[in-house]
Amino acid sequence: MAINKDGNGYTFGFSIALVVVVGVILSTISIGLEPFKKANVAVKKKMDILSAIGVESTRKNGEELYEQYVEDSYVISAEGEVQEGLPKEKTAFYLDVQKQYRDKQIDKEDRLYPIFEAKKDGEKVFVLPVVGKGLWGPIWGYLAIADDYKTIKGASFDHKGETPGLGAEIKQDFFETQFKGAEISEDGSYNEILVVKSGGSESKQKVDGITGGTITSKGVEEMVNRTMKVYQKYFSKKQ
Amino acid sequence: MSEAAEDVKKPKEPLFSKKNKKLITDPLTDNNPITIQVLGICSALAITVQVEQAFWMSVSVIFVMVFGNLVVSLLRNLIPSRVRIIVQLVIVASLVIIVNELLQAFVPDVSEKLSVFVGLIITNCIIMGRFEAFAMSNKPFPSILDAVGNALGYAWILIVVALVREVFGSGKIWGFEIFGSNLPGEESGIYEMGYMNNNMMILPPMALIVVGIIIWIQRTRNKELVEEH
């Protein structure tokens, strides 16, 4: 029996078969490559943490350097209490702060905040992840706090899809280094960090925003202050 | 495409007959998809700042193109003509997703730099153009040759443009400094003598200008390509 290739039945049949075949192939490949992609993401995270304390690493030595510098990691609650006995996916390294921030199901008070304790040149440094919103999508980064519990020693930011040349500049050194020296607390209370228009006063709490990247700059300011307020609760108990 | 034409017995032609060779060489020069047909310009502008990106983009396009043309050609008698464009689109899209997954898994840094442009291979007119114009009406082997030819024609332009832009824009090739260091305060090589990188080269318009220069050279050498008005 000859098949009528112009008939509706054939067209539908062909389309359905094609979609099923393509679907199976793509999902097999995606599942098969999952472990590689996860490993890449984990190394990238370690590189970002190292970058916040000023250690340059590559994908090759990222793992090794991380072991060398980062000594301890733990998770605190929104009230600044250290949390114990958490399942693996909620431990400091595996906790997905990005997801927590976006998930409307999780109350602000229930969010968990990881702390990575690193040692560089004999000094203890706390590395803290921050996540927030830019103009087009998520932005995130890590801040390094010195062992006086308040001075920022370094920062590294990244973004998903900010405008190249404008908002995307937050990941450049010139922007990141400005955070150095700012203090997150003064006399035991939280001290705001301001991302403002270039120029103006020389205060160490002020960071020059990016010209043409105002919304991204404001996003960085909001994300840093919102998160640091929580960490400051924890640090104030230690001071 | 009529089925009768398929049934006519043709004398078996050699694998690399003159006609088949032309399928590869034509798109490299006189029928280049970028400089003559002016297709796929968007990616030529976007990812030609560094040779490395251009190289991986070219590899991705070659992969998508060859497998795409092969699959379309194999299915050409089965694809219902009313939905053929959508079927072609599904084939490109799946291949592009495969490429993207592979890049993410094995060369994550490159994948980050290419970002959305890998996905945009789907909309690269060269690919859909070859599916519709060639693979739908030709046998698998010539289709592969045609794909290789067109993809290489795209690739060499991309890499030449990237080479020009990286050398004069950042003084590097594949990330290696060739003119010495230009870090402020630590200048070496020709930067010491006051040479400066041309920042204009890094901006997208420069890609268009470089492609324009290639087109100009090509048409000066082969007058037949010049359109009469």
Side-chain angles (χ1 to χ4, degrees), chain A residues 30-182:
Chain A
S30 180
I31 293 167
L33 293 174
E34 194 64 31
F36 293 98
K37 284 191 280 180
K38 273 215 174 114
N40 288 335
V41 172
V43 173
K44 180 79 189 159
K45 191 168 178 181
K46 289 180 177 171
M47 285 165 67
D48 286 344
I49 292 173
L50 287 170
S51 145
I53 57 168
V55 176
E56 285 310 314
S57 58
T58 62
R59 283 190 185 272
K60 282 201 187 88
N61 64 13
E63 201 94 12
E64 197 182 314
L65 287 172
Y66 181 84
E67 294 298 321
Q68 192 182 326
Y69 285 99
V70 178
E71 299 190 319
D72 195 9
S73 63
Y74 41 88
V75 174
I76 61 164
S77 69
E79 290 307 311
E81 309 286 347
V82 178
Q83 304 289 299
E84 302 279 350
L86 294 160
K88 192 188 174 209
E89 72 273 10
K90 284 192 175 170
T91 52
F93 189 75
Y94 294 97
L95 186 70
D96 191 342
V97 275
Q98 188 80 248
K99 198 171 150 194
Q100 237 185 62
Y101 170 63
R102 275 188 300 183
D103 193 342
K104 297 267 184 315
Q105 306 282 319
I106 302 174
D107 273 344
K108 263 186 190 165
E109 291 75 33
D110 293 339
R111 284 184 197 154
L112 294 170
Y113 296 82
I115 297 180
F116 300 91
E117 263 186 47
K119 201 156 216 167
K120 199 194 170 200
D121 306 327
E123 279 177 60
K124 207 200 259 178
V125 189
F126 301 94
V127 181
L128 318 168
V130 288
V131 290
K133 278 198 250 345
L135 174 60
W136 303 113
I139 51 176
W140 61 94
Y142 291 89
L143 288 183
I145 304 282
D147 62 356
D148 62 357
Y149 303 117
K150 60 179 186 184
T151 315
I152 295 179
K153 288 202 76 174
S156 79
F157 298 109
D158 211 338
H159 62 92
K160 189 164 182 216
E162 297 307 296
T163 323
L166 302 173
E169 300 284 293
I170 56 165
K171 63 187 284 191
Q172 301 293 331
D173 282 347
F174 79 87
F175 182 73
E176 293 172 348
T177 49
Q178 295 185 82
F179 283 83
K180 270 186 200 166

Side-chain angles (χ1 to χ4, degrees), chain B residues 17-223:
Chain B
S17 63
K18 223 179 192 166
K19 204 176 97 203
N20 281 352
K21 267 189 205 155
K22 252 184 110 60
L23 287 177
I24 292 200
T25 53
D26 251 14
L28 290 181
T29 53
D30 290 348
N31 199 13
N32 189 285
I34 295 187
T35 63
I36 308 296
Q37 300 171 15
V38 201
L39 296 174
I41 286 287
C42 143
S43 53
L45 300 187
I47 36 94
T48 50
V49 178
Q50 287 167 352
V51 177
E52 193 183 359
Q53 290 173 33
F55 172 79
W56 284 106
M57 185 70 179
S58 304
V59 170
S60 313
V61 169
I62 292 173
F63 175 90
V64 173
M65 193 90 188
V66 169
F67 282 93
N69 249 10
L70 176 65
V71 172
V72 171
S73 174
L74 286 172
L75 295 178
R76 70 187 188 283
N77 293 330
L78 296 173
I79 298 174
S81 63
R82 278 190 296 174
V83 290
R84 67 182 194 286
I85 299 289
I86 294 184
V87 170
Q88 290 165 13
L89 204 58
V90 169
I91 293 169
V92 204
S94 331
L95 286 165
V96 167
I97 293 170
I98 295 175
V99 168
N100 203 8
E101 294 272 320
L102 290 173
L103 289 177
Q104 273 178 11
F106 299 111
V107 273
D109 288 324
V110 174
S111 157
E112 248 166 57
K113 275 187 197 152
L114 291 178
S115 65
V116 297
F117 292 104
V118 175
L120 286 179
I121 294 178
I122 299 173
T123 59
N124 192 322
C125 350
I126 303 173
I127 295 176
M128 288 293 280
R130 290 332 287 170
F131 283 7
E132 177 69 9
F134 199 90
M136 278 302 281
S137 50
N138 281 283
K139 289 187 170 162
F141 186 67
S143 298
I144 292 180
L145 294 182
D146 179 75
V148 170
N150 276 285
L152 286 178
Y154 170 83
W156 84 258
I157 301 283
L158 220 61
I159 288 174
V160 167
V161 175
L163 203 63
V164 172
R165 291 181 73 191
E166 193 174 359
V167 166
F168 295 106
S170 350
K172 292 174 185 169
I173 294 181
W174 200 284
F176 294 108
E177 291 166 341
I178 48 165
F179 296 149
S181 156
N182 68 336
L183 287 175
E186 307 171 26
E187 286 96 343
S188 65
I190 60 169
Y191 291 106
E192 242 177 349
M193 294 181 274
Y195 173 81
M196 277 168 87
N197 286 327
N198 185 348
N199 282 336
M200 175 82 180
M201 276 288 176
I202 299 178
L203 303 174
M206 225 33 218
L208 208 57
I209 295 173
V210 177
V211 171
I213 293 172
I214 296 177
I215 295 178
W216 172 41
I217 296 173
Q218 211 176 14
R219 297 194 181 193
T220 321
R221 288 168 51 121
N222 186 350
K223 297 278 185 226

